[in-house]
Amino acid sequence: MSKKIASLIKRLLPVLGILLTFLIQIAIPDSSLHSSSKHHYYEGLLFILLGVALLFFVLSLFIKKIREGLTEKGPFLLGAAGLVIVINLITAKFALLPVIFFPSYNNILAIFMEQTVLLAKCVGYSFKLMILGVFWGITVGFITGVFLGFSKKVYYWINPYIKLIGPIPATAWIPLVLTTFPTTFGASVFIIALAVWFPVQLMTSSGIQNTSKVYFEVGKTLGAGTFFQVFKIAVPAALPNIFQGIFNGICAAFIALMTAEMFGAKYGIGWYISYQKAMMMYAGVYAGLILIAVFCTVIITALFKVRGKLLAWQKGLIKW
């Protein structure tokens, strides 16, 4: 088999996978144990995805970049379609798992279509909390890390307290913080900022302390002041560590965000999941989990884009 034919087959695999998924969905009826929906959201989604897959296949005939990407991802996308089919058969078609905990795809998609306004409000609320918490966590963590990494006196007096407080999970402070702050919103922002602060300050201070002393000695010889040494020598040298701290901090922030929203928040993805679970509406729980996955992926992808711009010389060293 020639490489061209093999590439053509691989590019067709996503189309084949979606088509097979669609045929199984319409050929096998859902179990009567599942609540039926008036609308066929899942079939509509598959139809749209089939059109997109066909469009990309046609474009791959003319655009090299799409052709190479589709050739590489084709087998994986077929495997993903197979996994979707298996889950669909186990849940919706044959109801091999408890239907209350494992709803059909159609019922999950119905949540997105019928509760769009509420979900959008929850995403907006979580995004606002996340941005404020991450901003303050990175800001305070960076400042703390610079002082600890550059000043031996500050490190001597402050670091023992950070070693004591820093490792405590941010979510463990929730009972105390909720009684201290006047609003649950402010308390949630503080919890998220606390989760981000520790890894950022730790990696920032470590990166500055590990910077070669030769750079500082050369800077002093050329007449560099403290400000220049910090922001022109220490911080640029520590940027890889700083971004690693930010990445770890954001991952911790997602945990803090979801947990904080489950305690007294009026909206938010975490609140929505908790509410749907309390109401025994697990289609909403899965919808919330999907939102979290998309939310996390978008923010972390944006972070890696910024990292790639600032640390172009490290491109490809850490992949996402």
Side-chain angles (χ1 to χ4, degrees):
M1 184 183 295
S2 66
K3 290 185 178 180
K4 288 186 177 181
I5 297 176
S7 174
L8 183 68
I9 293 174
K10 288 181 179 179
R11 282 180 276 143
L12 272 173
L13 291 180
V15 177
L16 177 63
I18 297 173
L19 185 60
L20 184 61
T21 306
F22 184 81
L23 292 176
I24 289 177
Q25 173 62 20
I26 62 175
I28 304 176
D30 288 352
S31 170
S32 59
L33 296 176
H34 284 277
S35 58
S36 58
S37 176
K38 297 179 181 179
H39 305 282
H40 300 283
Y41 297 119
Y42 182 50
E43 290 87 339
L45 177 62
L46 290 176
F47 188 77
I48 293 172
L49 291 176
L50 182 61
V52 172
L54 286 170
L55 175 62
F56 271 90
F57 173 74
V58 173
L59 291 175
S60 70
L61 299 175
F62 308 100
I63 302 175
K64 182 180 179 181
K65 189 175 182 179
I66 296 178
R67 180 165 58 251
E68 292 175 348
L70 204 56
T71 300
E72 179 186 357
K73 297 294 184 182
F76 171 79
L77 293 174
L78 177 62
L83 179 61
V84 170
I85 291 172
V86 170
I87 295 174
N88 193 28
L89 292 173
I90 293 174
T91 56
K93 301 305 177 183
F94 302 124
L96 300 179
L97 298 173
V99 295
I100 189 172
F101 301 118
F102 298 94
S104 65
Y105 290 141
N106 199 62
N107 289 335
I108 296 173
L109 290 172
I111 296 293
F112 287 103
M113 301 302 296
E114 297 168 8
Q115 298 185 22
T116 306
V117 176
L118 178 58
L119 289 174
K121 197 169 185 177
C122 289
V123 171
Y125 187 91
S126 294
F127 183 76
K128 186 178 180 180
L129 275 179
M130 190 73 178
I131 291 298
L132 288 173
V134 169
F135 171 78
W136 286 112
I138 291 176
T139 301
V140 177
F142 175 77
I143 294 172
T144 308
V146 168
F147 275 105
L148 287 171
F150 197 76
S151 173
K152 291 183 179 180
K153 289 184 178 180
V154 174
Y155 185 86
Y156 175 82
W157 288 104
I158 302 298
N159 193 57
Y161 298 106
I162 292 180
K163 284 183 177 180
L164 181 65
I165 298 173
I168 300 175
T171 52
W173 296 93
I174 288 178
L176 179 62
V177 171
L178 286 175
T179 58
T180 304
F181 279 76
T183 63
T184 55
F185 185 87
S188 299
V189 170
F190 178 82
I191 291 296
I192 296 168
L194 186 62
V196 176
W197 162 76
F198 180 66
V200 171
Q201 72 82 22
L202 177 64
M203 297 308 299
T204 301
S205 61
S206 298
I208 292 175
Q209 289 172 349
N210 292 329
T211 302
S212 176
K213 305 302 179 185
V214 175
Y215 298 148
F216 297 109
E217 292 173 1
V218 171
K220 288 181 180 179
T221 303
L222 296 175
T226 302
F227 183 87
F228 186 94
Q229 290 183 55
V230 171
F231 293 99
K232 296 295 184 179
I233 298 175
V235 172
L239 270 181
N241 293 70
I242 294 172
F243 271 101
Q244 185 178 348
I246 293 173
F247 174 79
N248 293 335
I250 288 179
C251 292
F254 284 121
I255 299 174
L257 172 68
M258 295 301 113
T259 307
E261 286 182 344
M262 291 180 182
F263 291 90
K266 295 181 180 180
Y267 293 102
I269 304 175
W271 167 85
Y272 181 82
I273 292 175
S274 179
Y275 172 75
Q276 294 292 314
K277 178 180 177 295
M279 299 296 293
M280 297 296 287
M281 298 174 63
Y282 277 84
V285 173
Y286 286 103
L289 293 175
I290 292 171
L291 282 178
I292 292 174
V294 175
F295 190 58
C296 296
T297 301
V298 169
I299 291 180
I300 294 178
T301 301
L303 173 64
F304 271 84
K305 291 290 183 182
V306 174
R307 184 188 187 280
K309 293 290 183 182
L310 295 178
L311 300 175
W313 52 276
Q314 278 199 332
K315 187 176 182 180
L317 185 62
I318 300 178
K319 295 183 179 181
W320 168 251

